[in-house]
Amino acid sequence: MPVFKRHHFERLFKLAQEGRIAPLYLFLGNPQTGEELARRLFEFLKKQGFQAEKLKASETNQLREKLFSPFLFGRRVFFLEVTKDTLNFFDEKNLSFLEQNKTRLSLIISINALDEKHPLYKYAQERAVIMPLSDKKSKDLLSYEIPELLASFGKKMDRAAAESLLALVGEDLGAIRQEIEKLSLFVGERPVITLADVKEVVSPRPEQAPYILTQTLFQEGPEAALKFLQNLLIQGIHPLVILATFTKFFKRLYLLREVFEANPDLASIKNFKVFQEKYKKTSKEVFPDKEPKDLKGYHPYAIFMMRKPASLLVLDDFSFIFEELAKIDLALKTGALPEENFYSFFVKLKLKIKKRLKSKTPHR
């Protein structure tokens, strides 16, 4: 059972239950996804009754002492944190030892990159399990990570609730796992986590707050946006932090609006993968030399979710927006109440958009 694709991950559990356990599981590629999958597999094998241990070895001598120590019964499973130095431990001699003891020893390793000529790669490909993972951050959290995490808690979640969770928490798998655990405890024996549950339980990270604020503003109005802002302040998030992330969000929105100007059809695409492909192509046309730093590395799904506010604004709106945000910055630094100043901005922006839509005056 050598090469497994990402969507076949669950098969590793079934094979293990049948007694088909590999001497090595190598997750190769995206480090965050690899660490998460390695952790799940490790916890699963641990629950099966095997002697399981996480091992962070900085020297090859430590690895040799742990892996080669006598062991009479059962199987030992090691979740290894491999460094550049300890990577050299996996030469043909030591891998031969692993092969000889494959019925009682298993290693789980996640690594970002590995030369295909390296003995560890060759061994995983020929005699163990290797799971190649995309190095891109555009992994489909909605298709794999969130459903699998939910299943581990015996829960399900519809698309709208999952999208809301992703928008609130971002793409950090550790944070997503924590929030799903909180949600599972909140709903108790109920098998389905709803959108209302997510809104009730999950608090957005500061970097996600601007998206939720604008989503709330455009969908529910200034009063709802003010209430959301007040909740952030109650959580202890400083007003200037909210303003800084809010400003960065509108910078991204401005750049996205430029892409939409080049391809207006992007605003109406409802399929994420179709949007992703066309957005990537158009973005390269708009920014041929270098992707702007405010968009670089930003999760494609987060950009997809920004379609609505981007489609409601025009490029001429942004001079007004940044002037108003500068006024809020000055007011906050002179002791003004954040609620009043943000609410005033919400109302002005909403009225500006409403007036333009009503007049249907063509804009750039």
Side-chain angles (χ1 to χ4, degrees):
M1 46 178 182
V3 180
F4 278 68
K5 293 185 178 180
R6 169 63 187 88
H7 56 276
H8 291 150
F9 175 69
E10 294 290 330
R11 281 190 61 202
L12 297 178
F13 296 163
K14 294 179 181 178
L15 289 169
Q17 288 176 325
E18 296 170 1
R20 299 176 62 187
I21 302 173
L24 170 66
Y25 296 91
L26 180 61
F27 297 93
L28 185 61
N30 185 289
Q32 192 180 45
T33 305
E35 285 291 324
E36 174 64 21
L37 298 181
R39 183 197 64 80
R40 290 185 208 167
L41 180 61
F42 175 78
E43 293 297 335
F44 177 82
L45 293 176
K46 186 176 181 180
K47 288 179 180 178
Q48 299 303 301
F50 300 116
Q51 181 177 317
E53 180 181 352
K54 290 184 179 180
L55 180 59
K56 182 179 181 181
S58 58
E59 298 179 359
T60 55
N61 287 337
Q62 291 176 294
L63 274 176
R64 186 173 289 105
E65 182 181 346
K66 278 285 186 181
L67 302 184
F68 293 177
S69 60
F71 186 70
L72 297 178
F73 304 105
R75 176 184 291 272
R76 289 184 300 173
V77 178
F78 288 98
F79 183 176
L80 298 182
E81 183 174 325
V82 176
T83 66
K84 289 183 179 179
D85 293 330
T86 53
L87 189 59
N88 296 325
F89 170 81
F90 297 100
D91 56 20
E92 292 183 1
K93 178 181 177 181
N94 288 328
L95 288 171
S96 176
F97 172 86
L98 177 61
E99 177 65 15
Q100 291 169 17
N101 292 273
K102 62 184 178 182
T103 59
R104 65 184 192 92
L105 181 62
S106 291
L107 310 182
I108 302 175
I109 299 174
S110 172
I111 190 169
N112 186 33
L114 185 64
D115 193 312
E116 292 184 7
K117 295 180 181 179
H118 194 284
L120 183 64
Y121 184 98
K122 289 183 177 180
Y123 180 79
Q125 190 176 42
E126 294 171 3
R127 301 181 184 181
V129 167
I130 182 170
M131 182 170 288
L133 302 168
S134 172
D135 285 326
K136 298 179 181 178
K137 296 180 74 177
S138 57
K139 53 188 179 295
D140 196 341
L141 293 165
L142 290 169
S143 294
Y144 298 124
E145 312 308 334
I146 290 177
E148 288 178 5
L149 284 169
L150 285 165
S152 70
F153 289 96
K155 304 298 180 186
K156 293 183 179 180
M157 181 183 286
D158 65 21
R159 181 86 177 188
E163 288 176 349
S164 179
L165 174 66
L166 187 58
L168 286 164
V169 178
E171 65 172 16
D172 186 283
L173 281 171
I176 291 173
R177 183 172 60 252
Q178 289 176 1
E179 295 301 331
I180 288 178
E181 184 174 4
K182 282 166 54 179
L183 285 162
S184 298
L185 292 171
F186 177 76
V187 302
E189 296 182 0
R190 180 154 46 89
V192 179
I193 296 171
T194 66
L195 177 59
D197 296 327
V198 173
K199 289 185 176 181
E200 179 73 19
V201 175
V202 180
S203 299
R205 291 190 163 198
E207 61 268 24
Q208 299 300 321
Y211 167 73
I212 308 300
L213 262 177
T214 51
Q215 182 189 52
T216 305
L217 174 62
F218 292 133
Q219 291 184 359
E220 302 177 43
E223 288 73 22
L226 174 61
K227 184 178 179 181
F228 181 83
L229 173 72
Q230 290 170 333
N231 288 335
L232 295 177
L233 295 172
I234 290 172
Q235 292 172 36
I237 302 176
H238 196 281
L240 287 174
V241 173
I242 296 173
L243 178 63
T245 53
F246 208 42
T247 302
K248 188 172 184 178
F249 175 84
F250 275 105
K251 287 180 180 178
R252 285 196 181 114
L253 208 57
Y254 174 78
L255 294 168
L256 182 58
R257 184 65 237 179
E258 286 195 328
V259 178
F260 278 20
E261 292 289 322
N263 186 356
D265 292 338
L266 283 168
S268 60
I269 297 175
K270 296 182 179 180
N271 182 284
F272 169 55
K273 290 188 177 180
V274 174
F275 173 87
Q276 188 178 9
E277 292 174 3
K278 293 192 175 182
Y279 169 80
K280 187 176 181 180
K281 181 180 179 181
T282 308
S283 180
K284 285 184 177 181
E285 293 172 357
V286 176
F287 310 112
D289 298 326
K290 188 177 181 181
E291 186 179 21
K293 65 177 183 179
D294 284 316
L295 286 180
K296 190 175 182 180
Y298 201 51
H299 196 287
Y301 190 79
I303 293 176
F304 176 67
M305 294 295 287
M306 289 167 66
R307 292 168 303 145
K308 181 66 180 293
S311 63
L312 289 172
L313 298 171
V314 294
L315 290 177
D316 289 345
D317 288 332
F318 287 92
S319 57
F320 160 79
I321 289 170
F322 292 123
E323 285 175 8
E324 290 297 317
L325 293 177
K327 290 178 184 178
I328 295 175
D329 180 63
L330 180 61
L332 293 177
K333 288 176 179 176
T334 54
L337 294 175
E339 293 97 326
E340 292 182 3
N341 285 271
F342 274 103
Y343 181 68
S344 175
F345 169 66
F346 296 156
V347 172
K348 289 178 182 177
L349 181 58
K350 192 71 175 179
L351 288 174
K352 186 177 180 66
I353 295 171
K354 185 177 180 180
K355 184 178 179 180
R356 183 179 65 251
L357 293 176
K358 187 176 181 179
S359 64
K360 296 183 180 180
T361 305
H363 286 260
R364 173 175 170 251

